[in-house]
Amino acid sequence: MKTILTGLRVNSELTLGNYLGALLPMVRLANQHSQDYNINIFVPDLHSIISDVDGDMQTNIIKSLKYYLASGLELGENVHIYRQSYVPAHSELCWILNCTATMGEASRMTQYKEKGEGKSSVNVGIFDYPVLMAADILLYSATYVPVGEDQFQHLELARNLAERFNHKHGEVFTLPAKTRDQAKFMGTDEGIRIRDLQNPEKKMSKSTPAENSKIMLSDTPEKARKKIMSATTDSFANIKYDMINQPGISNLLQIEALTNDLPLQDVISTWAGESKYGDLKQKVASSVATLLESFQSRYAEISDDMLYAELKKGEKYANEVANAKLYEAQKALHLR
Ligand code: ATP
Ligand code: MG
């Protein structure tokens, strides 16, 4: 059985970008395919510590799992939830893959460049996390890894490392699908990138300090509404989808489509020729507020105990699968 795998860092609360770009697509895929795929949802606690952690890690972990359920994830026999650091094979394989990856390719990762921008010192974890991410994927021979568009480069890295390792040491790893096929599987043309509300040239990120740049899933609907109303737009007075010249307006159109589960083209046509940005903002603000209301009321219903029981089961499964794959890699290197 093939595997679909994803994870969301828990260094802080999640944003609407994480929800629309990663959480919701994963939940949809999981619910569609849990009969014929393994659905691995892991909490990348080790990835989370590459930056400062807001709040308490353990609380964040449980919150993040609740977010999947509040987004509609249905648990079942083939759905496995686990914490990365509870499966030590991730770190072990990361080291092995570090010896396959080159400084050149790791340095080319845009996430590394963006995260290090303007900082006088950057931890090695920020540089190396794409290799750990490759280990996360390859240990489970995952075919599909629904992530936002910003992570596609890391998926390509995972493919390259697997291919290089296999070439040198024998067929050990299954390559994840090409990013084009990943996007197709997720039902998008090119992956999703929700923009920063204040600087729409950049993507919305939970680690951006500016509060008005991002909508948090824990924001009150009223607060979220205000943030949408103050989003940066442009002076063209023309509602048009053009991410290059009008990224702010295009971002709002995209959010409107995704929050209402409408094809982007339909939303673009509805607003074509309109010029009042305030009207569009009102509409998007109310879509986002409605989404948060229902999301937050579902969230409040989920029990911690049930999640801990699921984690225990999931971690047993994950260790079995991961250790078997790690052993293959160790044998290929004559470490065993
Ligand atoms: P950080 O600033 O801490 O890196 P982040 O918002 O980029 O936070 P990640 O934990 O790095 O969040 O990514 C979690 C998932 O959310 C990934 O699949 C990533 O591709 C997706 N994602 C992150 N930001 C966006 C965005 N703006 N639009 C769509 N998907 C996103
Ligand atoms: Mg990120």
Side-chain angles (χ1 to χ4, degrees):
M1 201 153 71
K2 288 184 178 175
T3 296
I4 308 174
L5 174 147
T6 204
L8 291 162
R9 301 199 314 130
V10 289
N11 49 314
S12 70
E13 295 276 351
L14 298 181
T15 68
L16 184 68
N18 302 134
Y19 176 81
L20 297 175
L23 204 50
L24 199 55
M26 178 60 181
V27 167
R28 291 213 174 114
L29 288 178
N31 291 348
Q32 258 169 40
H33 293 290
S34 66
Q35 296 308 314
D36 46 336
Y37 282 81
N38 280 306
I39 309 293
N40 288 20
I41 293 183
F42 76 106
V43 180
D45 49 359
L46 295 174
H47 283 291
S48 306
I49 58 172
I50 64 170
S51 38
D52 291 339
V53 175
D54 288 352
D56 169 57
M57 172 79 86
Q58 294 303 319
T59 312
N60 293 354
I61 289 173
I62 291 300
K63 255 190 191 164
S64 150
L65 291 171
K66 287 188 180 177
Y67 281 162
Y68 284 100
L69 296 176
S71 308
L73 176 73
E74 292 156 21
L75 294 171
E77 207 189 329
N78 298 331
V79 179
H80 313 286
I81 62 173
Y82 53 95
R83 291 161 286 191
Q84 187 184 30
S85 76
Y86 282 68
V87 188
H90 288 242
S91 313
E92 185 75 22
L93 184 62
C94 175
W95 180 258
I96 290 176
L97 295 175
N98 274 338
C99 302
T100 299
T102 67
M103 293 293 287
E105 66 193 341
S107 312
R108 279 195 296 277
M109 298 294 121
T110 39
Q111 277 295 299
Y112 160 64
K113 291 189 213 153
E114 280 175 19
K115 283 198 162 36
E117 210 175 79
K119 293 199 179 124
S120 58
S121 128
V122 172
N123 72 53
V124 177
I126 289 186
F127 179 67
D128 199 33
Y129 91 92
V131 180
L132 178 58
M133 184 169 159
D136 302 334
I137 297 168
L138 300 178
L139 280 174
Y140 303 89
S141 310
T143 304
Y144 294 111
V145 186
V147 287
E149 186 267 346
D150 61 301
Q151 296 290 329
F152 278 12
Q153 200 185 19
H154 298 161
L155 292 183
E156 287 297 342
L157 177 72
R159 283 176 56 86
N160 291 339
L161 296 181
E163 204 163 29
R164 198 175 309 146
F165 185 99
N166 288 351
H167 184 70
K168 202 162 165 197
H169 306 291
E171 288 296 314
V172 170
F173 297 118
T174 305
L175 272 59
K178 293 192 174 133
T179 46
R180 198 184 43 236
D181 299 330
Q182 300 270 354
K184 228 184 265 163
F185 187 70
M186 284 170 69
T188 67
D189 294 336
E190 51 196 3
I192 294 164
R193 170 180 288 245
I194 301 299
R195 305 303 181 107
D196 179 303
L197 295 177
Q198 295 300 314
N199 298 300
E201 292 78 24
K202 298 203 317 204
K203 79 168 193 74
M204 185 182 287
S205 284
K206 58 179 140 66
S207 59
T208 307
E211 277 298 315
N212 278 341
S213 286
K214 54 190 183 182
I215 296 202
M216 307 311 293
L217 293 178
S218 54
D219 279 351
T220 60
E222 208 32 56
K223 191 166 176 187
R225 194 186 288 276
K226 285 198 183 117
K227 288 180 182 177
I228 296 278
M229 294 310 294
S230 70
T232 301
T233 51
D234 54 61
S235 50
F236 293 105
N238 181 14
I239 299 180
K240 194 171 135 206
Y241 189 82
D242 175 354
M243 270 297 177
I244 309 236
N245 299 307
Q246 296 181 252
I249 283 296
S250 306
N251 192 37
L252 293 177
L253 290 169
Q254 171 134 66
I255 293 174
E256 175 65 7
L258 290 169
T259 48
N260 292 296
D261 198 14
L262 290 170
L264 178 60
Q265 273 315 322
D266 290 7
V267 175
I268 295 173
S269 317
T270 305
W271 290 89
E274 300 286 336
S275 61
K276 289 190 190 132
Y277 290 178
D279 291 354
L280 175 63
K281 283 183 170 177
Q282 291 279 7
K283 177 69 182 69
V284 177
S286 101
S287 299
V288 170
T290 307
L291 180 134
L292 288 179
E293 260 161 35
S294 68
F295 177 85
Q296 289 166 2
S297 73
R298 272 176 290 168
Y299 175 92
E301 303 283 305
I302 304 158
S303 113
D304 290 20
D305 289 350
M306 181 274 289
L307 283 173
Y308 282 115
E310 283 296 322
L311 282 170
K312 201 165 165 202
K313 253 191 333 192
E315 281 154 11
K316 182 166 179 289
Y317 164 88
N319 272 295
E320 280 166 15
V321 176
N323 287 339
K325 187 51 82 180
L326 174 64
Y327 183 60
E328 278 183 57
Q330 289 168 326
K331 274 207 308 205
L333 291 166
H334 302 281
L335 291 164
R336 294 290 183 274

